[in-house]
Structure formats: structure tokens, C-alpha cells
């Protein structure tokens, strides 16, 4: 079973443009770090491309940034041919070969506003021409025991400690949730007696 996540892209007017669903590895240590590191490669977000913008790594607004991010993440999906084995001289083992160009599965696009896909993390990407790219990580609530959505961490991509702060925030949120589940379980057992 995968750790599902949603990446929500929000334009400068605060409107969601698209939601990217990731089937597995959506936790902060892996995907949160990967998303942050990719977004940190951008020199900026512009409003209208000029000649020098082609030399730098830029995005022409949120629709361009979201398209580039989705393309990058989808291109990372690798599928193997499990019906064949080839010798890998680097490892000395017989392995299933990579199916070049096959990026089937793993990442899907949904309309703006999509939620409740079994996601365990929600990442919200916003950008501002003046301030840069902003990333927030959330843990969705649990309706079963009335836990609200909880912010894990948010900040600008250029903040050097974004990932470390998010990992610390995640540990706090997970501990709070564990305590809430224990309290809910104890209350349920008490009600049965």
C-alpha cells in the first residue's frame, strides 16, 4: 500500500489550477524533499518571458510552474519489464530491464478542488513574482475521530531549512494524532463496558 499525496497548485489569485495525485512515497522524507528540491532549482517566477529568462531556470507564472513540475515528477516514474531478465554488469545480477519511455501509473492529474483520494499528505504550491515559490505541507484530517487538517510546515522554497522544519513538524503532528487515536480508542472501550 502506498503513501498517497496530493500536490495542489494555486495561482496568485488564490485559485487552485490543478491537483497532482501521487500513488506512493508521498511522505515528507521522500516526496516532500523531492518536491522542495525540484522547486528550489528555479531562479524565479516571471510574468511574461524575456530573452534572459530562457537562459535562467524560470517559470512563466503558476500554470508554467505546475506544468514543469508535473512533467518532471511524471518523468521520474520508471516501469520495468518483469517478463525478461538481463545481466547488469554494474551489479553482477540478472535484473528486469527498464522500459524506456514508459511512465505509466504513479502520478495522475485531477481537477482543482479534488480531495479525499486516500491521501496522507497534501502539498500546496503557490508562487509570487515578487516573493518566489511557497510550499506548505499538510496532514489531512480524520473524520472518524474528528481530527482537523493540520499544517505540518510552510515557507518559501529559498528557506534553507524547509525540509528539516517540515520533518520536525511532521513528527509533532504524528505524535498528536497517535495520542488522539489512543484517546478515541480508550473512549470507545469505556463506552462498551
Amino acid at each position: 500500500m502506498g503513501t498517497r499525496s496530493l500536490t495542489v497548485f494555486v495561482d496568485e489569485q488564490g485559485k487552485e489550477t490543478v491537483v497532482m495525485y501521487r500513488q506512493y512515497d508521498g511522505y515528507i522524507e521522500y516526496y516532500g524533499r523531492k518536491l522542495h528540491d525540484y522547486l528550489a532549482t528555479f531562479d524565479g517566477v516571471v510574468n511574461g518571458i524575456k530573452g534572459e529568462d530562457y537562459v535562467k531556470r524560470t517559470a512563466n507564472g503558476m500554470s508554467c510552474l505546475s506544468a514543469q513540475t508535473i512533467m518532471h515528477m511524471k518523468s521520474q516514474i520508471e516501469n520495468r519489464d518483469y517478463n525478461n531478465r538481463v545481466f547488469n554488469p554494474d551489479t553482477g545480477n540478472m535484473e528486469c530491464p527498464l522500459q524506456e519511455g514508459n511512465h505509466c501509473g504513479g502520478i495522475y492529474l485531477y481537477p482543482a478542488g479534488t480531495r479525499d483520494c486516500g491521501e496522507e499528505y497534501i502539498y500546496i504550491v503557490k508562487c509570487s513574482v515578487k516573493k518566489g515559490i511557497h510550499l506548505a505541507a499538510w496532514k489531512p484530517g480524520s473524520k472518524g475521530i474528528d481530527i482537523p487538517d493540520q499544517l505540518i510546515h510552510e515557507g518559501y522554497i529559498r528557506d534553507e531549512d524547509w525540509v528539516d522544519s517540515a520533518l520536525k513538524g511532521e513528527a509533532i503532528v504524528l505524535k498528536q494524532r497517535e495520542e488522539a487515536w489512543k484517546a478515541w480508542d480508550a473512549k470507545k472501550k469505556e463506552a462498551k463496558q
Side-chain angles (χ1 to χ4, degrees):
M1 178 138 165
T3 304
R4 296 170 178 85
S5 67
L6 297 177
T7 304
V8 179
F9 296 92
V10 179
D11 67 18
E12 286 197 39
Q13 290 74 41
K15 182 180 173 189
E16 287 186 20
T17 57
V18 68
V19 175
M20 183 180 79
Y21 170 84
R22 184 179 177 93
Q23 182 72 30
Y24 52 85
D25 295 336
Y27 48 92
I28 290 181
E29 178 61 41
Y30 182 77
Y31 177 65
R33 180 181 303 274
K34 217 175 154 116
L35 178 61
H36 169 272
D37 292 352
Y38 177 72
L39 294 172
T41 65
F42 284 84
D43 294 313
V45 178
V46 298
N47 184 8
I49 302 171
K50 298 179 184 102
E52 67 268 11
D53 293 328
Y54 288 104
V55 178
K56 300 184 290 184
R57 185 164 175 106
T58 59
N60 188 15
M62 178 49 81
S63 59
C64 182
L65 179 65
S66 58
Q68 289 186 69
T69 304
I70 292 163
M71 180 183 71
H72 173 77
M73 295 302 171
K74 187 69 172 171
S75 72
Q76 302 296 304
I77 301 297
E78 295 182 340
N79 290 297
R80 299 198 170 270
D81 180 357
Y82 292 103
N83 293 320
N84 293 302
R85 294 226 183 260
V86 294
F87 180 74
N88 182 337
D90 294 333
T91 64
N93 297 319
M94 296 296 288
E95 298 175 0
C96 298
L98 187 65
Q99 292 181 352
E100 294 294 333
N102 183 348
H103 306 289
C104 180
I107 295 203
Y108 304 87
L109 294 182
Y110 289 122
T114 298
R115 300 293 189 278
D116 296 327
C117 301
E119 68 274 10
E120 294 183 48
Y121 293 88
I122 300 173
Y123 298 92
I124 299 177
V125 180
K126 298 178 182 179
C127 70
S128 163
V129 172
K130 293 178 183 171
K131 295 181 180 179
I133 301 168
H134 184 271
L135 178 61
W138 289 79
K139 190 76 169 154
S142 175
K143 294 175 181 89
I145 63 168
D146 199 28
I147 295 177
D149 291 355
Q150 291 174 283
L151 177 66
I152 294 171
H153 180 69
E154 68 175 328
Y156 287 93
I157 290 298
R158 294 291 178 200
D159 296 345
E160 291 181 25
D161 66 343
W162 192 97
V163 174
D164 291 336
S165 294
L167 289 170
K168 288 175 187 169
E170 178 185 37
I172 292 167
V173 166
L174 292 178
K175 185 175 182 187
Q176 290 171 345
R177 292 199 170 212
E178 184 179 336
E179 290 168 1
W181 276 105
K182 284 179 183 176
W184 178 79
D185 193 42
K187 196 177 201 181
K188 192 175 171 183
K189 286 178 183 174
E190 186 178 300
K192 284 184 178 180
Q193 295 176 353

